[in-house]
Amino acid sequence: MQIISNINEIRKIVKKWQKNDETIGLVPTMGALHLGHESLVKKAKTQSSKVIVSIFVNPIQFAPNEDFEKYPRTLEKDSIICQDNNVDVIFAPNANEMYADKNNLTIIVPPKNYQNKLCGLSRNGHFDGVATVVAKLFNIIHPDKAFFGQKDAQQLAIIKKMVLDLNMPVEIVSCPIIRDENGLALSSRNSYLSAEQKIKALSLNKVLQKIKEMYEKNETNHEKVLKRASILLDEAFDMEYLEAYDANTLEKIEKLRNNTLIAIAAKIGNVRLIDNIIL
Ligand code: AMP
């Protein structure tokens, strides 16, 4: 397995593969890899003959008050995980390589209706940063398929929309949320949690499961359902949102129905966690 940090170099590798009719799967990540990322890699391996994992903590998707500096960077450990999963290449550029002219950047701006809700409200400019870096990775690597987790549901909807609107020749494959044995959605940010906070964090999934349970008993009034379930959130958390949207378009829904995205974000101390389910 090679670790490449240079754009020209990875392009050369990809060109060679394409000449040999290899199919290329890309798994974009910010590193600090866990079993959630690994599930994306495993899926990519079954659907592509070559797999590239990109590891890049993308500065332009972090607001000044967020955890860019603190974000865990564990390249050595990540490479072992990738190697164990037969990844062909890790692409790990630095910020100068990706943003040579960082004060004069062309930015991809996803539609307002996809941004003015959920994480878009508190994370100003976040999805511009995400869409821009993903578009850059697609242009550098030209993957046949790219693998994204349902864990970041708004991100997934935004990437799919970008690919559709900009006619990007790549198939987006969504992958289910991987949780620990207690139901906590895996996240690189879980490493910020104390043991006690980790237990309290289980309540996020409890809220979501309660909603699913009520829906399965034919309760479709979303306001009622969300309100009832929200009391299960541990009181150590500050709820940022608990909302329901169409999972593909992120449009408001009249009542709960199949393909409704129920998404939650809440903060404990300085740690902000997100989770979701699709009914
Ligand atoms: P990140 O490194 O946090 O930017 O995540 C990289 C990719 O891994 C994104 O597509 C995430 O949605 C996905 N991902 C992160 N956590 C999980 C998880 N627990 N289960 C499935 N996919 C995940």
Side-chain angles (χ1 to χ4, degrees):
M1 185 187 74
Q2 284 176 283
I3 303 179
I4 306 287
S5 57
N6 179 278
I7 293 174
N8 288 331
E9 226 172 290
I10 191 120
R11 282 201 158 130
K12 274 189 207 148
I13 294 174
V14 166
K15 260 201 183 141
K16 220 191 255 167
W17 286 347
Q18 285 166 336
K19 259 193 196 152
N20 295 334
D21 287 332
E22 306 280 9
T23 55
I24 300 168
L26 171 66
V27 181
T29 81
M30 298 203 299
L33 302 183
H34 50 62
L35 289 171
H37 299 111
E38 241 181 290
S39 73
L40 270 54
V41 171
K42 285 188 177 17
K43 196 167 216 176
K45 285 298 293 184
T46 66
Q47 297 191 18
S48 3
S49 60
K50 297 285 182 190
V51 170
I52 298 178
V53 172
S54 64
I55 296 182
F56 180 58
V57 185
N58 176 32
I60 69 164
Q61 71 184 66
F62 287 79
N65 62 333
E66 292 183 345
D67 57 345
F68 174 69
E69 300 294 342
K70 194 173 132 196
Y71 198 85
R73 288 159 172 88
T74 58
L75 186 56
E76 228 168 274
K77 210 169 133 227
D78 294 348
S79 356
I80 295 170
I81 293 174
C82 287
Q83 188 129 36
D84 288 349
N85 281 282
N86 299 314
V87 167
D88 295 279
V89 170
I90 292 179
F91 178 52
N94 67 24
N96 286 336
E97 183 71 4
M98 288 297 271
Y99 301 117
D101 191 11
K102 65 171 187 274
N103 298 322
N104 289 298
L105 269 187
T106 301
I107 295 286
I108 304 255
V109 181
K112 221 194 214 154
N113 276 343
Y114 282 69
Q115 295 222 54
N116 61 5
K117 59 196 62 160
L118 303 171
C119 297
L121 283 182
S122 67
R123 304 195 69 186
N124 200 7
H126 171 68
F127 290 112
D128 295 0
V130 169
T132 302
V133 80
V134 171
K136 282 172 71 71
L137 289 168
F138 288 174
N139 282 334
I140 292 166
I141 290 167
H142 291 188
D144 297 281
K145 296 188 179 192
F147 298 79
F148 290 85
Q150 185 58 49
K151 165 84 175 10
D152 298 276
Q154 189 173 15
Q155 165 175 290
L156 181 61
I158 282 174
I159 299 295
K160 282 184 176 166
K161 177 79 170 128
M162 172 182 80
V163 163
L164 189 73
D165 287 349
L166 300 182
N167 307 93
M168 293 177 165
V170 55
E171 182 186 331
I172 302 302
V173 181
S174 66
C175 307
I177 299 178
I178 304 298
R179 303 175 178 280
D180 73 8
E181 62 280 11
N182 299 314
L184 178 65
L186 297 185
S187 161
S188 307
R189 291 190 168 97
N190 291 352
S191 65
Y192 302 152
L193 297 172
S194 68
E196 195 188 337
Q197 287 174 325
K198 247 187 188 165
I199 293 169
K200 293 183 169 171
L202 299 179
S203 62
L204 270 88
N205 189 33
K206 283 197 185 123
V207 172
L208 297 174
Q209 290 309 317
K210 182 73 186 170
I211 291 166
K212 187 161 169 252
E213 196 185 301
M214 287 191 268
Y215 174 64
E216 282 168 358
K217 286 183 183 152
N218 296 322
E219 181 55 81
T220 58
N221 179 331
H222 65 280
E223 278 164 14
K224 192 163 129 191
V225 166
L226 298 183
K227 200 167 170 196
R228 263 205 222 153
S230 66
I231 56 173
L232 293 178
L233 186 69
D234 190 285
E235 51 191 28
F237 273 94
D238 275 335
M239 177 93 78
E240 184 180 304
Y241 62 71
L242 173 62
E243 286 168 14
Y245 293 99
D246 178 274
N248 297 324
T249 62
L250 302 184
E251 294 285 356
K252 279 209 170 114
I253 47 151
E254 297 297 320
K255 57 183 184 152
L256 297 182
R257 52 168 166 76
N258 285 348
N259 207 36
T260 300
L261 167 73
I262 310 286
I264 185 167
K267 241 179 164 179
I268 184 162
N270 286 327
V271 189
R272 182 176 176 279
L273 298 178
I274 59 171
D275 199 350
N276 68 80
I277 50 165
I278 295 179
L279 298 178

